[in-house]
């Protein structure tokens, strides 16, 4: 859900900056969505991404006279179509990275493509820090071309999250879309084991509950919630005192977590692996979570988190101010104006 927060940042910059800025998003068509064959799904997904990146290229070409063009996300493999269909326009074109650095770290061809885009003079907008580019072989000179921004957090104003009773039984959530790399089934087994020695209610909230329907549900200890609807997703996050993320290193080491950002927005404490970007998300500017080194440390991290939550020690307000849409959009505007040597 938090991908929309980046778009809010970009739209606010376009609205308030003295620069003439275009925001580009691609339209990915849904081609034969009922197909269940995995190979055909991959094929049509690739066709859809190709058409999406062609669409972005055409939009860049239309807006080529703008002072700045910001592209809201791209794929390492398919941005080359954007380049071609924009008629090779890259001057002052900034592209937001999500999974791109992780892909480049794990895959040689993906890394080659990212370095190629750098040479073609695309500028990257990276989450948290641009220095992660060092780990995939970028020079300091190359890194200076790019921009980093804090991952935004939007405080939930519609949910009454202040009524959690400090002395009630604590609720720990396993929340988020059920997808590869999130280890949800494995993490569930770990939490069920930990629950035997630690008193908490386990809330499982995801868009696909089919993998959990065989659970021997003790309704006093486990709660299943379908969070495919936005309101249900945020309500479930707000119900939790703590959420657990146990993502695979190969998929998320160089990524931020949208679920973590959404949870923080509901004043929910976050436990996550000690991966650099997620670790920064929960510790800067204030501590709103705990990171752990490996799964064997998870029980200890839960105990530490429950103590912090019980003592009402956590302050979210400074976190919200520093990572607000307004503050991040102001930072981005300053970066862009400095890059173009524009003085207000």
């Amino acid at each position: 859900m938090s991908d929309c927060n980046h778009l809010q940042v970009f739209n606010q910059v376009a609205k308030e900056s003295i620069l003439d800025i275009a925001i580009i998003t691609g339209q990915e068509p849904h081609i034969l969505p009922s197909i269940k064959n995995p190979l055909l799904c991959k094929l049509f997904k690739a066709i859809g991404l190709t058409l999406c990146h062609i669409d972005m290229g055409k939009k860049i070409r239309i807006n080529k006279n703008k002072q700045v063009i910001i592209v809201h996300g791209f794929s390492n493999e398919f941005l080359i179509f954007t380049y071609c269909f924009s008629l090779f326009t890259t001057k002052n074109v900034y592209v937001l990275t999500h999974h791109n650095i992780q892909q480049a770290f794990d895959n040689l061809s993906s890394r080659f493509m990212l370095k190629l885009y750098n040479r073609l003079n695309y500028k990257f907008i990276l989450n948290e820090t641009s220095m992660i580019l060092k780990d995939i072989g970028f020079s300091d000179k190359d890194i200076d071309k790019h921009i980093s921004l804090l991952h935004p957090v939007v405080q939930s104003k519609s949910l009454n999250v202040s009524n959690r009773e400090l002395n009630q039984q604590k609720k720990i959530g396993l929340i988020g879309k059920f997808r590869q790399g999130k280890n949800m089934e494995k993490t569930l087994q770990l939490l069920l084991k930990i629950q035997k020695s630690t008193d908490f209610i386990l809330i499982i909230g995801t868009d696909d509950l089919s993998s959990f329907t065989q659970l021997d549900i003790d309704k006093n200890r486990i709660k299943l919630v379908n969070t495919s609807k936005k309101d249900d997703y945020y309500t479930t996050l707000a119900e939790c005192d703590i959420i657990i993320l146990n993502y695979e290193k190969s998929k998320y080491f160089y990524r931020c977590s949208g679920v973590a950002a959404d949870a923080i927005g509901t004043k929910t404490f976050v436990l996550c692996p000690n991966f650099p970007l997620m670790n920064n998300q929960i510790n800067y500017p204030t501590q709103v979570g705990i990171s752990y080194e490996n799964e064997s440390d998870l029980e200890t991290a839960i105990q530490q988190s429950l103590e912090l939550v019980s003592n009402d020690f956590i302050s979210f307000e400074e976190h919200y101010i520093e990572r607000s849409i307004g503050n991040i959009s102001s930072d981005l505007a300053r970066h862009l104006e400095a890059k173009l040597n524009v003085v207000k």
Side-chain angles (χ1 to χ4, degrees), residues 11-286:
N11 287 333
Q12 187 158 330
V13 169
K15 181 179 178 181
E16 297 180 358
S17 174
I18 60 173
L19 298 171
D20 187 15
I21 300 174
I23 310 301
I24 303 295
T25 58
Q27 299 299 317
E28 182 181 345
H30 295 286
I31 304 173
L32 300 178
S34 61
I35 287 179
K36 295 182 179 180
N37 182 288
L39 291 177
L40 284 176
C41 282
K42 286 184 178 180
L43 172 62
F44 285 109
K45 178 69 173 176
I47 294 171
L49 284 169
T50 301
L51 294 174
C52 174
H53 283 73
I54 289 172
D55 176 58
M56 292 194 298
K58 292 177 179 178
K59 290 175 179 176
I60 289 173
R61 188 173 73 238
I62 292 169
N63 290 279
K64 65 181 180 180
N65 292 324
K66 297 280 187 177
Q67 288 176 288
V68 173
I69 297 172
I70 299 176
V71 178
H72 182 245
F74 71 100
S75 169
N76 293 3
E77 296 91 341
F78 294 92
L79 189 64
I80 195 68
F81 292 105
T82 301
Y83 177 68
C84 295
F85 279 83
S86 68
L87 299 184
F88 321 115
T89 302
T90 60
K91 183 180 180 182
N92 296 325
V93 176
Y94 289 81
V95 291
L96 175 68
T97 63
H98 288 295
H99 58 278
N100 309 83
I101 308 302
Q102 183 69 55
Q103 277 191 339
F105 185 79
D106 291 327
N107 184 283
L108 188 61
S109 62
S110 188
R111 192 182 318 165
F112 170 80
M113 294 306 294
L114 208 61
K115 289 183 176 181
L116 173 63
Y117 301 140
N118 174 68
R119 294 193 62 142
L120 293 175
N121 211 29
Y122 282 109
K123 271 72 66 178
F124 304 143
I125 299 175
L126 302 114
N127 286 304
E128 302 296 321
T129 173
S130 57
M131 295 311 294
I132 56 171
L133 292 173
K134 254 190 182 309
D135 291 353
I136 55 173
F138 278 58
S139 68
D140 289 336
K141 182 179 178 181
D142 284 334
I143 292 171
D144 285 342
K145 291 165 50 178
H146 308 292
I147 289 175
S148 64
L149 293 176
L150 295 176
H151 195 286
V153 170
V154 175
Q155 182 179 4
S156 175
K157 299 186 184 300
S158 61
L159 298 170
N160 188 4
V161 298
S162 62
N163 286 341
R164 293 181 191 140
E165 296 177 15
L166 293 179
N167 295 321
Q168 74 179 0
Q169 191 177 21
K170 297 305 176 191
K171 297 176 181 177
I172 295 180
L174 186 59
I175 313 293
K177 289 186 176 181
F178 194 86
R179 66 165 64 126
Q180 186 181 15
K182 290 195 171 185
N183 272 338
M184 293 188 77
E185 288 178 302
K186 184 180 180 182
T187 307
L188 170 62
Q189 296 307 316
L190 287 169
L191 290 173
L192 290 175
K193 184 178 179 182
I194 293 169
Q195 199 179 36
K196 292 178 181 178
S197 58
T198 305
D199 184 31
F200 62 85
I201 296 171
L202 175 59
I203 299 179
I204 302 169
T206 184
D207 58 336
D208 180 7
L209 292 172
S210 60
S211 296
F212 305 103
T213 53
Q214 302 304 315
L215 278 177
D216 183 14
I217 297 292
D218 177 350
K219 292 185 179 179
N220 295 318
R221 305 273 284 169
I222 301 173
K223 179 179 178 181
L224 293 178
V225 185
N226 186 319
T227 54
S228 54
K229 292 182 180 179
K230 182 178 178 181
D231 288 346
D232 293 335
Y233 169 70
Y234 282 106
T235 299
T236 305
L237 282 175
E239 188 178 353
C240 300
D241 295 281
I242 300 164
I243 65 159
I244 308 288
L245 307 178
N246 185 31
Y247 295 167
E248 290 179 17
K249 185 174 182 179
S250 63
K251 301 291 185 183
Y252 282 90
F253 190 76
Y254 288 105
R255 293 177 66 174
C256 284
S257 167
V259 178
D262 293 335
I264 293 165
T266 64
K267 294 190 175 180
T268 298
F269 203 68
V270 177
L271 265 70
C272 66
N274 187 16
F275 300 162
L277 300 190
M278 286 191 207
N279 192 50
N280 208 58
Q281 268 188 281
I282 64 170
N283 284 297
Y284 181 84
T286 57

